[in-house]
Amino acid sequence: MRTPFFRTKYSDLAGRDGSPVNRPDAPFASSEDDGIAGLSELYSPEDSCEARVHDIADILLEDGGLSPEAFTRARQLQSDNPAADLAALLIDARLAGREEVLKAKAQLYDMEFRRVGPDDVDPAAFEKLDTDTIRNLSVMPVAVEGDTLLVATSEPGNIFAIESVRNKAQMPLRVVVCCPEDIDAACGRFKNDANDYNVDDIISDMTDVEVVQDQDKDFAEDLEKMAGQSPVIKFVNYLISNAIREGASDIHIEPKEKHTKIRYRIDGVLFEAMQSPPKMHPAIVSRIKVMANLDISERRLPQDGKISVIVASREVDLRVSTLPTSMGEKVVIRVLDSRSILRGLNQLGMEPDTCAEFENQVSLPHGILLVTGPTGSGKSTTLYSALAQMDGDRLNVSTVEDPVEYKLEFCNQVQANDKIGLTFASALRSLLRQDPDVIMIGEIRDHETAKIAVQAALTGHLVLSTLHTNDAAASVTRLVNIGVDPYLIAASLNAVLAQRLVRRICPKCNQTTAVPEALRSTLEAAGLNPAEMVRGAGCEACRHSGYSGRVGIYELLVVDDPFRDMINADPSVTNMRRAFRQSGRASLFDDGMHKVAQELTTVDEVLRVTRANAPADEESSTNQKSTTV
């Protein structure tokens, strides 16, 4: 129950006949002849009264979002910074996540909290306000419910903003609380300013651009001039901004004989987005090279670069890679959006028991914690989420990465560079002289790096890293193959998390359909009813794929004493997998089928990223590609 600001004992203010009551035991009582009532006759607080209002820290404590120690820390920070916003203090000190704080705010203001995706927003309702107003007020129209406008805000305490929206919309409002990134995502999707591009017009304009032939002596200078012409600039800007709005993780620009093919990787799968005239391919590539500060005259060797752009009022980094092919230079642009990678561990899709155990492993003082999976399976997202929950004020958290793709404020990041001799191993040696508590290694890829990581774990450091293996059990064998002795692995390894990403069923077009005969045995073996299952029929929102978004599937191997004995006795893949099955923990396939039972994904997706054979074949698995967004 919320504590009132003051509690006054009205019985202490006057007697039954209305005459003042003077308490002789009150510390400020006046004498009988001064004729003035003491302060105790005006206010007499109860012993349990707290002279402050019930706030979000109290709510988080009551709901378990703050531990008693974190609550005490929060009050100390509030006392040291009385003018600061309590919510900002909690988030900056990493005592609570942004979403948990917003949920507490919603409860404080008696509002509903919900996540609002762009697909949840009615375009007709959104158009009641312009995007600048929505961003400035942090209030977004979501839908019209009868004669009421449903709006979502990330600042429920700003009653002036809500009242301003009410006046602009000329409708009664129902207010819910959402995350600020939900508002940004909707503004990016429904951006309605005059700078929107018409791709057909741009491509038509590009056909009029003068193209320079390869034999011209001033080819480099002419290419730079051509790359600066307006239609080419507009087209490249459109490619990038459209990819970000669509949620693409990669942009592929591929030269063909009769056209240039542009494809986006969305939810781990490539989709053809558009085509452009083949004669414009050199100009498009050169424009991208100019933006990435690459050598536009060098077309025989691969090049790598980086671009920073602002799309929908947020900064996004792009990693550019060029590769010479027989038809010309192919370009792949990786979209690096930090908002898509910094998530709470409870938002990654782990089952509650797996998430709780993983959080326990992250809180250990020393040892090695590995996250495994193929390229693009979401390993970096998991590691960054684990680092984000650590107390950066009390711990020295450092990383060694190649490359540093996302800039993190709560740790010290080192960029490995083999060209100048700054390898993973040499960077790790230097880090160990920097008094670290937690070390994150981008990847253990050789014996020297693995050896130093083991030494760091055995000397009191917590080491987080990744490996490229098919499952958790195979990680032990992989370390042995790298050259680490089994007894050192047994002594230093705490746990291994294997993961994949599967596509979510589109919520706009999901429907119950009959299961193909070929999948019935798989469902029956997993204990599911094969009669009918949910899948997406395909719609405009999901590009007729039936899927929208992704969710992770996981298996967690905890190295306990019996498992350590098995590592010392026989660290072969067969023995490690047998030991994992005997532990009774859910495998990747088991967790995937649990997601199928929850109607989050389909059995086709689970089989695509885990294994191609029947569930009875415990030893086989496939290594399919899925790219993180």
Side-chain angles (χ1 to χ4, degrees):
M1 180 178 179
R2 298 179 183 177
T3 305
F5 191 75
F6 288 114
R7 283 192 214 148
T8 305
K9 288 186 176 179
Y10 292 100
S11 60
D12 289 344
L13 298 182
R16 293 183 181 274
D17 58 355
S19 59
V21 177
N22 191 8
R23 293 171 52 193
D25 58 337
F28 295 103
S30 58
S31 61
E32 295 182 358
D33 56 352
D34 61 8
I36 301 176
L39 291 178
S40 65
E41 297 173 14
L42 299 178
Y43 169 64
S44 177
E46 294 180 356
D47 294 337
S48 61
C49 177
E50 299 179 8
R52 62 171 175 79
V53 293
H54 194 266
D55 58 21
I56 57 176
D58 296 306
I59 294 175
L60 287 168
L61 179 65
E62 294 164 3
D63 295 343
L66 277 182
S67 65
E69 295 78 12
F71 178 81
T72 302
R73 170 69 173 158
R75 291 301 179 205
Q76 182 62 47
L77 290 173
Q78 190 179 25
S79 176
D80 295 341
N81 305 275
D85 178 58
L86 178 59
L89 290 176
L90 291 170
I91 295 171
D92 292 343
R94 289 188 289 282
L95 299 175
R98 186 181 300 277
E99 186 167 323
E100 286 71 23
V101 169
L102 283 170
K103 288 179 180 178
K105 276 189 175 183
Q107 185 176 341
L108 184 66
Y109 290 99
D110 294 323
M111 296 179 182
E112 174 192 353
F113 175 85
R114 66 166 70 170
R115 294 306 302 262
V116 182
D119 293 336
D120 300 321
V121 180
D122 182 2
F126 190 86
E127 290 175 358
K128 290 185 176 295
L129 295 177
D130 61 83
T131 53
D132 289 338
T133 300
I134 293 172
R135 292 185 190 279
N136 292 335
L137 299 180
S138 296
V139 181
M140 172 180 64
V142 176
V144 177
E145 301 174 338
D147 61 348
T148 302
L149 179 64
L150 173 65
V151 299
T153 179
S154 60
E155 298 179 5
N158 191 345
I159 59 175
F160 299 105
I162 296 173
E163 187 62 29
S164 176
V165 171
R166 191 195 316 274
N167 293 334
K168 289 177 181 292
Q170 293 295 304
M171 296 178 66
L173 303 183
R174 184 167 79 87
V175 185
V176 299
V177 180
C178 70
C179 293
E181 52 264 32
D182 296 343
I183 297 177
D184 287 343
C187 288
R189 170 72 65 86
F190 300 106
K191 188 176 181 182
N192 51 10
D193 58 20
N195 292 326
D196 286 344
Y197 300 110
N198 186 319
V199 65
D200 293 331
D201 292 343
I202 295 173
I203 292 178
S204 176
D205 292 340
M206 287 174 61
T207 60
D208 298 329
V209 176
E210 181 182 357
V211 180
V212 181
Q213 300 301 318
D214 289 7
Q215 61 265 27
D216 288 357
K217 61 179 181 180
D218 297 326
F219 183 65
E221 290 78 0
D222 289 333
L223 269 182
E224 186 168 8
K225 177 182 177 182
M226 184 170 57
Q229 296 189 41
S230 180
V232 178
I233 294 176
K234 285 184 178 180
F235 184 73
V236 173
N237 290 349
Y238 172 79
L239 288 183
I240 295 172
S241 60
N242 187 56
I244 293 172
R245 290 193 182 101
E246 290 287 336
S249 62
D250 300 87
I251 307 170
H252 289 242
I253 304 172
E254 303 169 338
K256 304 298 180 183
E257 184 177 356
K258 297 182 179 180
H259 61 269
T260 293
K261 181 190 293 186
I262 286 101
R263 296 193 291 173
Y264 294 157
R265 186 178 295 277
I266 303 175
D267 295 337
V269 178
L270 283 168
F271 294 88
E272 184 170 341
M274 67 196 75
Q275 296 178 357
S276 68
K279 70 174 185 177
M280 294 312 305
H281 183 78
I284 295 171
V285 174
S286 296
R287 171 58 186 168
I288 295 172
K289 285 184 175 181
V290 169
M291 296 173 67
N293 198 26
L294 301 178
D295 184 0
I296 65 173
S297 64
E298 180 56 75
R299 295 176 295 139
R300 299 167 300 172
L301 296 174
Q303 297 187 66
D304 296 306
K306 201 168 185 179
I307 305 171
S308 293
V309 297
I310 296 177
V311 177
S313 300
R314 73 177 190 266
E315 186 174 345
V316 178
D317 288 331
L318 308 174
R319 197 174 71 194
V320 179
S321 174
T322 68
L323 180 69
T325 70
S326 60
M327 301 300 298
E329 288 184 281
K330 177 186 175 182
V331 179
V332 175
I333 303 174
R334 170 65 61 88
V335 180
L336 305 173
D337 187 356
S338 60
R339 294 191 317 174
S340 67
I341 200 166
L342 291 179
R343 304 178 182 178
L345 287 175
N346 59 351
Q347 299 176 5
L348 299 180
M350 294 185 192
E351 295 302 309
D353 55 343
T354 303
C355 185
E357 183 61 44
F358 186 73
E359 288 180 336
N360 180 59
Q361 294 295 325
V362 171
S363 65
L364 294 178
H366 54 78
I368 297 177
L369 174 59
L370 295 177
V371 179
T372 76
T375 299
S377 58
K379 300 186 297 297
S380 296
T381 300
T382 301
L383 285 178
Y384 286 151
S385 299
L387 293 177
Q389 78 169 26
M390 298 179 179
D391 188 351
D393 293 333
R394 294 189 301 172
L395 298 175
N396 179 11
V397 182
S398 302
T399 74
V400 183
E401 304 169 68
D402 183 22
V404 175
E405 295 183 343
Y406 300 92
K407 298 178 182 178
L408 308 176
E409 295 184 359
F410 49 81
C411 61
N412 308 294
Q413 297 174 276
V414 177
Q415 167 76 60
N417 189 342
D418 292 342
K419 294 180 180 178
I420 61 174
L422 185 60
T423 62
F424 275 103
S426 61
L428 275 175
R429 291 193 195 93
S430 298
L431 276 185
L432 290 175
R433 294 191 289 269
Q434 291 281 317
D435 186 30
D437 296 297
V438 180
I439 301 173
M440 194 272 275
I441 308 171
E443 180 187 352
I444 294 179
R445 57 179 67 168
D446 54 44
H447 169 69
E448 193 173 9
T449 303
K451 178 181 177 182
I452 299 173
V454 169
Q455 291 175 346
L458 294 176
T459 53
H461 306 88
L462 180 63
V463 179
L464 283 68
S465 189
T466 69
L467 274 180
H468 288 281
T469 61
N470 287 340
D471 53 26
S475 300
V476 176
T477 309
R478 171 64 177 156
L479 289 174
V480 173
N481 292 339
I482 288 176
V484 183
D485 293 328
Y487 75 92
L488 291 177
I489 299 173
S492 60
L493 187 62
N494 291 342
V496 182
L497 180 77
Q499 65 179 73
R500 299 290 190 279
L501 292 175
V502 293
R503 292 181 290 174
R504 287 180 180 266
I505 298 172
C506 176
K508 298 289 185 180
C509 61
N510 60 344
Q511 62 182 23
T512 303
T513 59
V515 177
E517 192 65 33
L519 298 178
R520 286 180 175 268
S521 60
T522 302
L523 290 169
E524 290 173 350
L528 301 179
N529 181 10
E532 292 182 333
M533 298 298 292
V534 173
R535 65 175 58 245
C539 62
E540 291 292 337
C542 63
R543 298 164 300 279
H544 300 283
S545 66
Y547 300 98
S548 179
R550 286 186 292 176
V551 64
I553 58 175
Y554 304 88
E555 66 178 23
L556 180 62
L557 184 160
V558 177
V559 183
D560 52 14
D561 289 339
F563 206 93
R564 297 182 199 279
D565 294 337
M566 291 188 180
I567 293 174
N568 284 317
D570 180 11
S572 65
V573 174
T574 302
N575 192 44
M576 293 298 97
R577 286 176 177 164
R578 184 183 300 113
F580 178 77
R581 290 197 302 274
Q582 292 173 353
S583 70
R585 295 183 179 272
S587 66
L588 282 169
F589 180 81
D590 297 332
D591 191 39
M593 297 309 291
H594 188 65
K595 298 293 193 302
V596 173
Q598 294 175 316
E599 299 183 352
L600 294 176
T601 189
T602 63
V603 63
D604 314 66
E605 272 296 291
V606 176
L607 292 175
R608 180 179 70 87
V609 302
T610 57
R611 67 184 78 184
N613 297 330
D617 185 359
E618 294 292 347
E619 299 301 331
S620 63
S621 64
T622 59
N623 186 359
Q624 300 288 342
K625 178 179 177 61
S626 58
T627 306
T628 186
V629 176

